[in-house]
Amino acid sequence: MLRIAFEDGKIQVVPKIRLLKEPPARKGFLAREQFERLSAALPEDLRPLITFLYFCGVRLGEAQQIEWSQVDLAAGLIRLETEQTKTSEARVVPLPDVLIQMLAAMEPKSGAVFSTRNLRKAWVKACAATGLGTLGDGWRYAGLIIHDLRRSAVKNLIAAGVPEKVCMAITGHKTRTVFDRYHIVDTTDVQRAMRRVEENASGENLAHFGVKIGKILPAPRTRKRLTA
């Protein structure tokens, strides 16, 4: 825009603008065992919401707006409407069985689906109790934040082999650049990658010598010699 203004004679010079260095992406991630402990430490009415955020990667602001009319338990789906999403695009979110069971047991099925009663306070206390955060004087908290559940969902979906395009459709990431900041790669990921390389190389070496992995090659057939 500044360049256009300069060319149109609206400004005399184009000012030099130095962009600030983008801060590194957060590394907050919750393993399944950690999630189970955290969920158990939370009030029962908050567990459906936390489960939804952990498995599906939906934004908290989006989840707070969901009403029962948008839930299809038989199909295991929740539909987010255009006006409810950050990207202004409607999307359908698949639900894990554990959440479907929770929602099926909830009554009454009217109004908002997920409770957020005392969410921040309950979150801080549960994280501190399970070693996922620390709580200092004056309720000064440091540790896992609710938005880290969204990062955990992305990592878990990728680890499960879900294509990135499908992951983005579930979590509502519109651009690959932002999605990559949520796709956390840790030590386990790189170790697993090297194991796959070694397994692949091992298979190629065996194939070079005519050995097919997982199959036993039949013994060559010999012809019987005819005698007069």
Side-chain angles (χ1 to χ4, degrees):
M1 295 296 293
L2 292 173
R3 173 61 62 180
I4 295 175
F6 174 73
E7 293 174 353
D8 290 346
K10 295 180 180 180
I11 58 176
Q12 299 300 315
V13 295
V14 178
K16 183 179 293 185
I17 299 176
R18 292 182 174 86
L19 299 178
L20 297 176
K21 185 178 180 181
E22 186 176 19
R26 276 184 58 86
K27 299 296 183 182
F29 168 72
L30 203 57
R32 183 64 179 271
E33 181 271 333
Q34 293 174 309
F35 167 73
E36 297 291 350
R37 287 193 289 110
L38 175 63
S39 179
L42 286 165
E44 187 175 356
D45 65 322
L46 293 177
R47 293 173 189 169
L49 171 65
I50 298 304
T51 301
F52 183 50
L53 301 180
Y54 178 74
F55 280 94
C56 304
V58 172
R59 299 174 182 87
L60 176 60
E62 295 173 338
Q64 291 174 311
Q65 302 177 65
I66 297 173
E67 297 192 350
W68 280 103
S69 59
Q70 299 169 242
V71 181
D72 185 342
L73 290 178
L77 299 171
I78 282 179
R79 177 177 174 80
L80 287 167
E81 304 297 345
T82 303
E83 63 273 12
Q84 295 176 321
T85 67
K86 183 178 179 180
T87 58
S88 298
E89 293 181 357
R91 71 180 191 273
V92 175
V93 181
L95 306 178
D97 287 342
V98 62
L99 181 56
I100 293 175
Q101 293 172 13
M102 288 181 178
L103 297 181
M106 290 171 61
E107 293 293 344
K109 291 180 171 54
S110 61
V113 175
F114 299 108
S115 170
T116 58
R117 184 172 60 89
N118 297 325
L119 174 60
R120 301 292 178 179
K121 185 176 181 179
W123 175 268
V124 167
K125 291 177 65 176
C127 287
T130 54
L132 298 171
T134 57
L135 190 58
D137 296 335
W139 278 82
R140 188 180 298 276
Y141 172 76
L144 193 78
I145 63 175
I146 294 175
H147 202 67
D148 287 331
L149 297 178
R150 182 164 164 81
R151 297 180 178 85
S152 300
V154 171
K155 181 175 173 60
N156 289 333
L157 286 166
I158 293 295
V162 178
E164 291 185 358
K165 187 174 182 179
V166 177
C167 291
M168 293 174 68
I170 293 173
T171 61
H173 283 100
K174 196 168 185 178
T175 65
R176 177 63 184 272
T177 302
V178 176
F179 178 78
D180 285 344
R181 290 178 62 83
Y182 283 75
H183 181 196
I184 304 167
V185 178
D186 58 18
T187 304
T188 303
D189 293 322
V190 296
Q191 289 174 328
R192 187 182 297 117
M194 184 51 63
R195 298 293 83 78
R196 290 178 179 175
V197 170
E198 292 176 334
E199 291 170 2
N200 183 64
S202 177
E204 290 180 350
N205 289 338
L206 290 173
H208 178 72
F209 291 102
V211 178
K212 294 184 179 179
I213 300 175
K215 294 183 179 180
I216 300 176
L217 299 180
R221 298 178 61 183
T222 58
R223 294 184 178 180
K224 295 181 178 180
R225 296 182 62 183
L226 299 177
T227 57

